[in-house]
Amino acid sequence: MLNIGVLVSGGGTNLQAIINAIESGYLNNCRITTVVSSRKDVYAMKRAQNHGIPAVYLSKKGKSTEEYDHLLIEHLEQHHVELVVLAGFMCILGDDFNRKYENRAINIHPALIPAFCGTGFYGIKPHVKALEYGVKITGATVHFVELQTDAGPIILQKAVEVRDDDTAETLQKRVMEEAEWKILPEAIKLISEGRIVIDGRRVKIRC
Ligand code: GRF
């Protein structure tokens, strides 16, 4: 059984996709042992509670990155977490967290990295920028977490077509539905089955 800790800061639709994948049996050897929110009273915490998953609010306010790293590490260790999933988590993590969870923490980003990613590209921003640039294809990426934002080796990507009548909001919704909610559980499944091989920057998938 793979123990997963999910870090959230918002609505938690990606958390819900993981919960659904566990409950449907798609992720048959995984369980979420804790959900951590960096924001108080977000809907993601309610989603966890609705499914009997312990959820806590760990505020970064007044803490250095190092202090917050240690608080998180201690909490994740208490819950025997083996894989950390950043699902819309809005805090920057530091060296200590990254060292501790090297190749054991993944993030979902709503664009095809290396496009529309990095500092400042959160929330609706990647979609606004994708429309401004005029790309015809965007999508989502699941990657391992590294110190630099959105920088670690890519595990899975899925493309989504941009339509002429898209607004940032319609594009955001479609990227979630068609890409994020699919590739995040899929990446977790691959990891839980030990099918991921990291070869430098390249992530290879064993059959
Ligand atoms: C998603 O678009 C995810 O890709 C990004 O933050 C958003 C979180 O949405 N990192 P939700 O809280 O999972 O609904």
Side-chain angles (χ1 to χ4, degrees):
M1 195 57 83
L2 181 72
N3 290 335
I4 300 171
V6 185
L7 310 188
V8 297
S9 302
T13 62
N14 281 287
L15 165 67
Q16 189 68 56
I18 303 168
I19 294 172
N20 293 349
I22 291 172
E23 292 185 351
S24 73
Y26 175 72
L27 291 176
N28 60 355
N29 59 346
C30 299
R31 65 177 163 218
I32 300 172
T33 57
T34 183
V35 169
V36 176
S37 176
S38 66
R39 289 199 180 146
K40 212 175 174 180
D41 298 330
V42 292
Y43 195 63
M45 291 183 75
K46 180 96 181 93
R47 288 181 194 272
Q49 286 151 6
N50 287 344
H51 292 265
I53 301 166
V56 292
Y57 161 53
L58 293 184
S59 170
K60 181 148 194 278
K61 277 191 201 111
K63 297 180 189 72
S64 65
T65 301
E66 205 178 28
E67 283 165 346
Y68 195 61
D69 274 8
H70 289 169
L71 184 67
L72 261 183
I73 291 170
E74 195 187 348
H75 178 83
L76 295 171
E77 282 189 331
Q78 274 165 8
H79 289 80
H80 311 289
V81 168
E82 297 159 295
L83 175 69
V84 184
V85 179
L86 277 65
F89 188 62
M90 303 285 282
C91 283
I92 302 290
L93 298 167
D95 257 333
D96 293 342
F97 177 90
N98 279 280
R99 252 197 307 272
K100 172 88 188 169
Y101 290 102
E102 190 182 12
N103 299 336
R104 295 195 300 135
I106 64 174
N107 179 50
I108 175 91
H109 182 71
L112 295 175
I113 291 174
F116 312 118
C117 66
T119 309
F121 282 89
Y122 58 86
I124 197 80
K125 219 30 183 304
H127 309 291
V128 170
K129 292 291 175 190
L131 290 180
E132 273 176 20
Y133 199 94
V135 293
K136 300 293 184 191
I137 301 281
T138 184
T141 304
V142 180
H143 62 92
F144 283 108
V145 173
E146 276 186 3
L147 202 49
Q148 219 183 323
T149 312
D150 303 327
I154 290 170
I155 304 167
L156 290 174
Q157 292 189 299
K158 189 162 193 297
V160 173
E161 217 173 305
V162 178
R163 293 182 188 154
D164 289 349
D165 60 353
D166 263 329
T167 61
E169 288 74 21
T170 61
L171 189 56
Q172 179 181 46
K173 184 167 179 283
R174 250 190 7 275
V175 167
M176 282 181 154
E177 288 168 356
E178 292 179 17
E180 294 184 41
W181 302 342
K182 294 195 166 113
I183 61 173
L184 186 57
E186 197 181 331
I188 295 170
K189 189 171 176 69
L190 292 170
I191 292 167
S192 73
E193 292 174 347
R195 292 174 55 202
I196 296 282
V197 180
I198 305 172
D199 180 8
R201 285 242 14 124
R202 295 183 67 191
V203 172
K204 297 176 184 171
I205 297 169
R206 270 200 294 248
C207 291

